[in-house]
Every structure is written in C-alpha cells, then in structure tokens.
Amino acid sequence: MPSVARMISLAEKGTNGTAELLADLFKAGGRCRVVGITGSAGTGKSTLVAALARVLRARGSTVGILAIDPTSPISGGSILGDRIRMSDLTGDPGVFIRSMATRGSLGGLSRAAADAVTALDAAGIDVVLIETVGVGQDEVDVMAACHTTVVVCVPGLGDGVQALKAGLLEIADVYCVNKADLPGADGVVRDLRQLLSLGTLPSQPPDEHGWKVPVVSTVALQGQGAEALAQAIDDHHAWLVASGAIHGRERAMAVARIRNLALRLLLEDLEDPSDGAGFDALVEDVVHRRIDPLTAARGLVARVRGGATERS
Ligand SMILES: Nc1nc2c(ncn2[C@@H]2O[C@H](COP(=O)(O)OP(=O)(O)O)[C@@H](O)[C@H]2O)c(=O)[nH]1
Ligand SMILES: [Mg+2]
C-alpha cells in the first residue's frame, strides 16, 4: 500500500490501478471528520487552520490539512507561506499537510480533494481541515463535501457582511470573525448575529433548520479563540449526529461525488466517442445544415448511452 502522500499524487494523476486502490480504501473508511474553512484571500484561513490543528493535536487527534489555493505561489508541492505559518506542525507525525492547486478540468478540484480525504481517512487521520478560497463553483463543491463548513470574515473589507455578497452565508455552519484585534470586529460579529437571527436560511435543508449558526471571533495569529472555534465545530458535529441530520448530509455528499464522477465519465466519452465515424457523420450533417446542433448533440448523447449499456 502506497503512503498517503503517494496515494494522493497517484489519484491526482489518475494513474492506472489507483481507482481500485481508492475503491478499497473508501469501502473500509468513513471515520474521519471533514471540516471546510473558507473565505476571501487574506482573511487568515491558513493561520486559523494552523491554530485549529494545534488545538486538535493537544487533544490527541490526528489532523490532515488540505490547502486548496489557486492564488498562492506553489513551491515544491506546497504553498510557501503556509509552510511557514505551519512550520511547527510540519515535523509532527500526527499532522499531514498537502497543497492542491486548481486543476484545469471541470470538477477536478473537488474530485482530487475527495480522493485525498479517502486516503487520509484510510491512514487513520481523525479530522481533515480543508482550506479553500470561496470563489468558484469548484470551491463551493469542495465545501459541499464537508461535515462542517466554517466561513471566515474579517473587519475592514468594506461592508460588514462581505460573505453575503460572496454567496457564502448559505453554506456556513459556523461563522468565524478573524482578526478580532483589528477595529470593527465587534461590528461584524453584531451584523452577522443579527442577520442570522432573522430566521432560518432559505438554502438550509429542512432537517438542518434546528441548527443555529454560531459566530466565533478569533485572533488566529495568537491562537486566541481557536479553542472556542474547535468547540463550535464539535458542537455542530454533535448536533448533526443527535438530530439525525448527518444522514441527509452524508447522502448529499455521496450524491455530489457520484454526479461529479459520472459527469467526468460522460465528458470523456463525449470528447472521445468510441464510434468516431458516427460522430463525424453528425458533424458533417451540422456543417451542411442537414440537421441542427441540438439534434446532433442528442444523437451524440444517445450514442454514448448506447455504448454505456453495451459495456455494462
Ligand atoms: N491582525 C491579524 N492578522 C492576522 C490574523 N490572522 C492572520 N493574520 C495575517 O493575515 C495575513 C493572511 O493570513 P493567511 O493565513 O495567509 O490568510 P489566508 O489567505 O486566508 O490563508 C497574514 O499576514 C497573517 O499573518 C489575526 O488574527 N490578526
Ligand atoms: Mg491560505
């Protein structure tokens, strides 16, 4: 069995035989908790992740850190600044740190992150912390694959509730107002609490209406508030389990993962249809306006589907 680091690299490259290995690991896994930390660049997510990891290590938990940051310069497979922020953690055998950059393909990032979680889970990691910049659909997909999502805000980024604009409000299970040492932090906490008290979020699934999203303030640089944040994350998980909402969440995670993979399989077939000659004929028909592109697309999908049933 390859090491975790090697396993993740193999999965990223899609090396032959990796799918079978991952399938076995997946079936034997399911113990680790996955926590997403998201927010704009510079809000202190990496510093916060390091602070959380220290709290978790002090409790005796093993920690995996996946930093997904398309903006940070990557050097030797790791994000340089994060290595420095996490330098005390890198020598700890109970901590695994890995950076992942955006892959070109649709859904590639959430797929790579999910495979990495499978590998970490199999290695006996208790908690995986995934850091993402909450921007694209890929990042939102990564957060959808977490048990608990922490949205990080800071004071002084224009209006108090930047997360609202970024569409992050809906995905938060826990709010963290970091850089509480800077002026305006209390105002952000107050604004968020007020907003959250207006009622349940429209996007919250019905079985999660009972969860009241807490707002925790932190000074990540000093580790201040990290205990309280870890507690809020624990509380959310305990609530998911006690309320039974965990089943809906794990179901949603499975649905997202299956659809993402199915989409890739379909795309591969669409880009490289086994029946190349048939596809060429469709293209010719469109070029000469004998049929329209939608009819041709339907024809292509029908061919791919036909191929799929033949193979199964
Ligand atoms: N004043 C202050 N600065 C912080 C705090 N947490 C992080 N920073 C600083 O904010 C900058 C961005 O931090 P980083 O963790 O890289 O943010 P990320 O881009 O969200 O991962 C760094 O210079 C940190 O030292 C904090 O609680 N207070
Ligand atoms: Mg970062």
Side-chain angles (χ1 to χ4, degrees):
M1 181 60 62
S3 69
V4 184
R6 177 124 181 82
M7 191 69 227
I8 295 174
S9 300
L10 290 173
E12 278 183 318
K13 290 193 199 101
T15 312
N16 274 343
T18 318
E20 289 73 16
L21 269 177
L22 282 169
D24 289 341
L25 296 183
F26 179 85
K27 284 184 273 186
R31 279 171 304 277
C32 85
R33 278 167 53 190
V34 187
V35 178
I37 315 284
T38 191
S40 308
T43 49
K45 297 179 298 298
S46 297
T47 315
L48 205 54
V49 162
L52 270 177
R54 285 175 199 118
V55 170
L56 291 166
R57 288 301 290 140
R59 290 177 180 177
S61 299
T62 49
V63 183
I65 297 174
L66 299 177
I68 300 175
D69 192 341
T71 59
S72 291
I74 294 189
S75 160
S78 74
I79 296 172
L80 215 54
D82 290 349
R83 279 278 164 190
I84 296 160
R85 272 184 265 297
M86 299 176 185
S87 56
D88 62 313
L89 296 168
T90 52
D92 181 343
V95 178
F96 179 93
I97 304 176
R98 174 78 176 215
S99 300
M100 300 182 138
T102 315
R103 307 267 140 190
S105 69
L106 180 75
L109 199 57
S110 47
R111 203 155 51 230
D115 286 341
V117 169
T118 298
L120 291 166
D121 182 22
I125 292 287
D126 297 314
V127 183
V128 179
L129 303 171
I130 308 184
E131 173 192 338
T132 68
V133 180
V135 280
Q137 184 58 45
D138 237 2
E139 279 84 2
V140 172
D141 288 347
V142 170
M143 289 301 113
C146 296
H147 293 106
T148 300
T149 298
V150 178
V151 173
V152 185
C153 296
V154 289
L157 275 189
D159 77 63
V161 188
Q162 321 110 24
L164 238 187
K165 286 195 277 182
L168 291 175
L169 194 71
E170 291 114 52
I171 64 166
D173 299 306
V174 173
Y175 255 108
C176 174
V177 177
N178 189 39
K179 307 199 184 182
D181 54 320
L182 299 184
D186 290 346
V188 179
V189 171
R190 203 166 45 233
D191 286 354
L192 279 172
R193 290 215 170 112
Q194 197 179 5
L195 205 68
L196 292 164
S197 72
L198 295 178
T200 48
L201 303 170
S203 63
Q204 235 174 1
D207 62 345
E208 294 191 17
H209 281 179
W211 174 248
K212 297 274 169 273
V213 178
V215 182
V216 180
S217 59
T218 55
V219 183
L221 221 41
Q222 274 127 51
Q224 207 177 302
E227 279 279 355
L229 183 60
Q231 188 59 51
I233 293 167
D234 278 352
D235 289 347
H236 178 250
H237 199 267
W239 178 84
L240 281 179
V241 173
S243 67
I246 187 116
H247 303 301
R249 208 162 258 236
E250 287 189 332
R251 201 175 176 284
M253 285 156 77
V255 167
R257 208 164 164 186
I258 296 166
R259 287 212 175 117
N260 178 327
L261 289 167
L263 198 61
R264 183 180 60 166
L265 295 179
L266 282 174
L267 279 176
E268 280 171 1
D269 279 356
L270 289 174
E271 279 161 9
D272 184 22
S274 48
D275 169 25
F279 181 59
D280 288 344
L282 280 174
V283 174
E284 283 302 306
D285 282 344
V286 172
V287 169
H288 294 99
R289 303 202 176 237
R290 288 189 286 269
I291 59 171
D292 66 290
L294 178 59
T295 304
R298 287 199 174 117
L300 175 58
V301 170
R303 278 168 195 284
V304 167
R305 283 195 183 138
T309 39
E310 271 160 39
R311 248 174 284 146
S312 63

